[in-house]
Amino acid sequence: MRMLGCVLLALLFAAPSLRAQTDVVIVSGLGGDQAHRDKFHQWAVSFIDAVQQKFDVPKERIVYLAERQATDPDRIDGKSTKENVERVLTDIALEAEPGDVVFILLIGHGSYQGEESRLSLPGPDMSARDFGVVLHGFTAQQVTLVNTASASGDFIKDLSGPNRTIITATKSPFERNETIFCQYFVEAFVQDVADVDKDERISVLEAFEYARQEVARYYEEEGRLLTEHAMLDDNGDGVGSAEPDPSETDGAMARRLFIAGGEVVAAADTSDPKLTALYEEQRGLQQTLAGLRTRKEEMDPAAYELELERLLLELARVSQTIRELEGGKVPR
């Protein structure tokens, strides 16, 4: 059993499972004026509509918190206070199963105070460290957090870790001008304009790349100095990449994350035949494991434990090989 426990621990940090339940949390912070509140709300509901209508994520697995619930009481689930954000994420963490996915989209203004990046909320703001505390509850889940606010760069340093994809609209907390990254990140999912590999799906990496390029194009067309440089980190080293390279820096995990069929799924890298075969083997082992668990009550306990250990060991081996081929790092 001790060996089995070690295998289970290893699996927590293996390549994410091919199918998983998904929770989507959208937090729209302080607008400062009605024009910004309306803009933030439009971005939020556009993303929610795409997630529900195009990707079949059930309404009950989507939470939308905003500055004023009265703005749209049918769509907004509560006020975006620090207390409510922490409560929602804590509740999800308590109910989440290993391998489940949490996708968090932060919209609004940011600041840098007391040597911390913060998201401006009604009442006390939330710092990157505040989010870090609540994200500790997700020990065996895949977490994607996208902070589209200004001064958001430090969220990578503070939140980076195993099984996490962290995206920020700025490269540092000192890029404090209002950002437009959110507009294009949402647009990537709403308008199907980011499908570079033409597989009829939008990965998190494709959405990031589309938004980054469109932001640069916008500033160039406006004749303005680029004041926001989006970053992505998904290898757990705490250092974001402006131009992720899945084979060298970041992007391997984000490239395989899709919102589809009510789930964010990690898809096989079809550009590498060896990886494709490994993902097929991983999926087969996961299906066999699921079947074994349904027969647990019918089996001799010792036989069940032996077969469970064998499958977990084999699944750990395959998952580890996948991570090594993709350049993933094993957490210490």
Side-chain angles (χ1 to χ4, degrees), residues 290-324:
L292 174 69
R293 284 168 171 159
T294 64
R295 303 194 309 274
K296 179 178 180 179
E297 300 303 321
E298 306 168 3
M299 296 179 63
D300 174 74
Y304 172 81
E305 292 294 339
L306 283 173
E307 181 63 6
L308 178 64
E309 182 172 347
R310 184 189 71 79
L311 287 172
L312 288 174
L313 281 167
E314 188 64 13
L315 185 55
R317 180 191 65 78
V318 172
S319 298
Q320 178 64 24
T321 302
I322 290 172
R323 287 185 63 85
E324 290 173 352

Side-chain angles (χ1 to χ4, degrees), residues 67-304:
E67 180 181 355
R68 296 180 180 178
Q69 188 172 10
T71 298
D72 191 346
D74 292 333
R75 305 295 299 273
I76 301 172
D77 298 298
K79 193 171 183 178
S80 55
T81 61
K82 180 175 182 287
E83 179 182 7
N84 282 343
V85 173
E86 291 174 336
R87 175 184 56 78
V88 166
L89 292 176
T90 298
D91 288 348
I92 292 173
L94 290 173
E95 297 178 2
E97 297 290 337
D100 281 356
V101 177
V102 181
F103 190 101
I104 305 165
L105 177 63
L106 308 181
I107 303 172
H109 299 299
S111 65
Y112 183 63
Q113 302 174 26
E115 298 186 353
E116 289 186 307
S117 289
R118 298 172 181 268
L119 179 68
S120 299
L121 298 176
D125 296 337
M126 278 193 76
S127 68
R129 293 178 186 177
D130 291 330
F131 276 98
V133 170
V134 72
L135 291 186
H136 279 316
F138 298 101
T139 57
Q141 290 75 35
Q142 175 76 55
V143 175
T144 299
L145 184 144
V146 183
N147 186 350
T148 67
S150 53
S152 53
D154 269 2
F155 271 61
I156 286 178
K157 173 177 63 70
D158 290 331
L159 300 183
S160 175
N163 291 331
R164 291 184 184 179
T165 298
I166 309 298
I167 292 173
T168 59
T170 74
K171 66 180 179 181
S172 79
F174 302 108
E175 292 188 322
R176 302 176 181 179
N177 292 345
E178 181 178 348
T179 61
I180 58 170
F181 179 82
C182 186
Q183 174 183 333
Y184 296 111
F185 186 81
V186 170
E187 188 175 283
F189 294 100
V190 172
Q191 298 187 14
D192 294 330
V193 290
D195 186 13
V196 175
D197 58 13
K198 305 304 178 185
D199 64 353
E200 299 183 353
R201 299 175 298 177
I202 306 299
S203 70
V204 172
L205 180 60
E206 285 176 323
F208 170 82
E209 290 286 12
Y210 173 80
R212 180 182 64 82
Q213 292 167 12
E214 288 300 297
V215 166
R217 181 188 59 78
Y218 171 84
Y219 277 84
E220 183 177 0
E221 290 182 353
E222 293 292 313
R224 295 168 51 189
L225 178 67
L226 185 63
T227 57
E228 55 182 287
H229 299 79
M231 306 292 282
L232 182 149
D233 172 82
D234 66 356
N235 65 3
D237 67 355
V239 180
S241 299
E243 298 183 15
D245 180 348
S247 65
E248 298 290 338
T249 55
D250 296 290
M253 187 182 298
R255 180 176 58 185
R256 296 185 291 102
L257 285 173
F258 302 85
I259 302 178
E263 303 162 338
V264 171
V265 298
D269 180 358
T270 56
S271 65
D272 186 333
K274 188 173 182 179
L275 271 174
T276 300
L278 284 166
Y279 270 106
E280 288 299 322
E281 184 179 359
Q282 185 189 56
R283 179 164 56 234
L285 286 166
Q286 288 168 336
Q287 291 171 346
T288 303
L289 184 60
L292 174 69
R293 284 168 171 159
T294 64
R295 303 194 309 274
K296 179 178 180 179
E297 300 303 321
E298 306 168 3
M299 296 179 63
D300 174 74
Y304 172 81

